[in-house]
Coordinates of all heavy atoms in Angstrom, one line a residue:
K356 N 68.6 72.7 -43.7 CA 69.7 72.1 -44.4 C 69.3 71.2 -45.5 O 69.7 70.1 -45.6 CB 70.6 71.3 -43.4 CG 71.3 72.2 -42.4 CD 72.3 71.3 -41.6 CE 73.1 72.2 -40.6 NZ 74.0 71.3 -39.8
P357 N 68.4 71.8 -46.4 CA 67.8 70.9 -47.4 C 68.8 70.3 -48.4 O 68.6 69.2 -48.9 CB 66.8 71.8 -48.1 CG 67.3 73.2 -47.9 CD 67.9 73.2 -46.5
E358 N 70.0 71.0 -48.5 CA 71.0 70.6 -49.5 C 71.6 69.2 -49.1 O 72.1 68.5 -50.0 CB 72.1 71.6 -49.7 CG 72.9 71.9 -48.5 CD 72.3 72.7 -47.3 OE1 71.2 73.2 -47.5 OE2 72.9 72.8 -46.3
M359 N 71.4 68.8 -47.9 CA 72.0 67.5 -47.4 C 71.3 66.4 -48.2 O 71.9 65.3 -48.4 CB 71.8 67.3 -45.9 CG 72.3 68.4 -45.0 SD 74.0 68.3 -44.8 CE 74.2 67.1 -43.6
V360 N 70.0 66.6 -48.5 CA 69.3 65.5 -49.2 C 69.8 65.2 -50.6 O 69.7 64.1 -51.1 CB 67.8 65.9 -49.2 CG1 66.9 64.8 -49.9 CG2 67.3 66.2 -47.8
D361 N 70.5 66.2 -51.2 CA 71.1 66.0 -52.5 C 72.4 65.3 -52.5 O 73.0 65.0 -53.6 CB 71.2 67.4 -53.2 CG 69.9 68.1 -53.4 OD1 68.9 67.3 -53.6 OD2 69.8 69.3 -53.2
L362 N 73.0 65.1 -51.4 CA 74.3 64.5 -51.3 C 74.2 63.0 -51.9 O 73.1 62.4 -51.7 CB 74.8 64.4 -49.9 CG 75.1 65.7 -49.2 CD1 75.5 65.5 -47.7 CD2 76.3 66.4 -50.0
D363 N 75.3 62.5 -52.5 CA 75.2 61.2 -53.0 C 75.3 60.2 -51.8 O 75.6 60.5 -50.7 CB 76.2 60.9 -54.1 CG 77.6 61.1 -53.5 OD1 77.8 60.9 -52.3 OD2 78.5 61.4 -54.3
D364 N 75.0 58.9 -52.1 CA 74.9 57.9 -51.0 C 76.2 57.8 -50.2 O 76.2 57.7 -49.0 CB 74.6 56.5 -51.6 CG 73.1 56.4 -51.9 OD1 72.4 57.4 -51.8 OD2 72.7 55.3 -52.3
D365 N 77.3 57.9 -50.9 CA 78.6 57.7 -50.2 C 78.8 58.9 -49.2 O 79.3 58.7 -48.1 CB 79.8 57.6 -51.2 CG 79.8 56.2 -51.9 OD1 79.1 55.3 -51.3 OD2 80.5 56.1 -52.9
S366 N 78.5 60.1 -49.7 CA 78.6 61.2 -48.8 C 77.7 61.1 -47.6 O 78.1 61.4 -46.4 CB 78.3 62.5 -49.5 OG 79.1 62.6 -50.7
I367 N 76.5 60.7 -47.8 CA 75.6 60.5 -46.7 C 76.1 59.5 -45.7 O 76.1 59.7 -44.5 CB 74.1 60.2 -47.2 CG1 73.5 61.5 -47.8 CG2 73.2 59.7 -46.0 CD1 72.1 61.4 -48.2
K368 N 76.5 58.4 -46.3 CA 77.1 57.3 -45.4 C 78.2 57.8 -44.6 O 78.4 57.5 -43.4 CB 77.6 56.1 -46.3 CG 76.4 55.2 -46.8 CD 77.0 54.1 -47.6 CE 75.9 53.4 -48.4 NZ 76.4 52.5 -49.4
A369 N 79.1 58.6 -45.2 CA 80.3 59.1 -44.5 C 79.9 60.0 -43.4 O 80.4 60.0 -42.3 CB 81.2 59.8 -45.5
L370 N 78.9 60.9 -43.6 CA 78.4 61.8 -42.6 C 77.8 61.0 -41.4 O 78.0 61.3 -40.3 CB 77.4 62.8 -43.2 CG 78.0 63.9 -44.0 CD1 76.9 64.8 -44.6 CD2 78.9 64.8 -43.2
V371 N 76.9 60.1 -41.8 CA 76.3 59.3 -40.8 C 77.3 58.5 -39.9 O 77.2 58.5 -38.7 CB 75.2 58.3 -41.4 CG1 74.7 57.3 -40.4 CG2 74.1 59.1 -42.0
E372 N 78.3 58.0 -40.6 CA 79.4 57.3 -39.8 C 80.1 58.3 -38.9 O 80.2 58.0 -37.7 CB 80.4 56.7 -40.8 CG 81.6 56.1 -40.1 CD 82.6 55.5 -41.0 OE1 82.3 55.3 -42.2 OE2 83.8 55.2 -40.5
K373 N 80.5 59.4 -39.4 CA 81.2 60.4 -38.6 C 80.3 60.8 -37.3 O 80.8 60.8 -36.2 CB 81.5 61.6 -39.4 CG 82.0 62.8 -38.6 CD 82.4 64.0 -39.5 CE 81.2 64.8 -40.1 NZ 80.5 65.7 -39.2
E374 N 79.0 61.1 -37.6 CA 78.2 61.6 -36.5 C 77.8 60.6 -35.5 O 77.9 60.8 -34.3 CB 76.9 62.2 -37.1 CG 77.1 63.5 -37.9 CD 77.6 64.7 -37.1 OE1 78.7 64.5 -36.5 OE2 76.9 65.7 -37.0
L375 N 77.4 59.4 -36.0 CA 77.0 58.4 -35.0 C 78.1 57.8 -34.3 O 78.0 57.5 -33.1 CB 76.2 57.3 -35.7 CG 74.8 57.7 -36.4 CD1 74.0 56.5 -36.8 CD2 74.0 58.6 -35.5
K376 N 79.3 57.7 -34.9 CA 80.5 57.2 -34.2 C 80.8 58.1 -33.0 O 80.9 57.7 -31.9 CB 81.7 57.1 -35.1 CG 81.9 55.7 -35.7 CD 83.0 55.7 -36.7 CE 84.3 55.4 -36.0 NZ 85.5 55.2 -36.9
S377 N 80.8 59.4 -33.3 CA 81.2 60.3 -32.2 C 80.1 60.5 -31.2 O 80.3 60.7 -30.0 CB 81.7 61.7 -32.8 OG 80.6 62.4 -33.2
M378 N 78.9 60.5 -31.6 CA 77.8 60.8 -30.7 C 77.4 59.5 -29.9 O 76.8 59.7 -28.8 CB 76.5 61.3 -31.4 CG 76.7 62.6 -32.1 SD 75.2 63.1 -33.0 CE 75.3 64.8 -32.8

Side-chain angles (χ1 to χ4, degrees):
K356 291 189 177 175
E358 66 285 354
M359 306 282 280
V360 180
D361 299 325
L362 295 174
D363 60 27
D364 282 6
D365 285 343
S366 306
I367 289 186
K368 280 181 195 168
L370 285 178
V371 168
E372 173 179 346
K373 171 179 74 75
E374 292 294 60
L375 296 193
K376 266 177 88 175
S377 75
M378 292 177 148

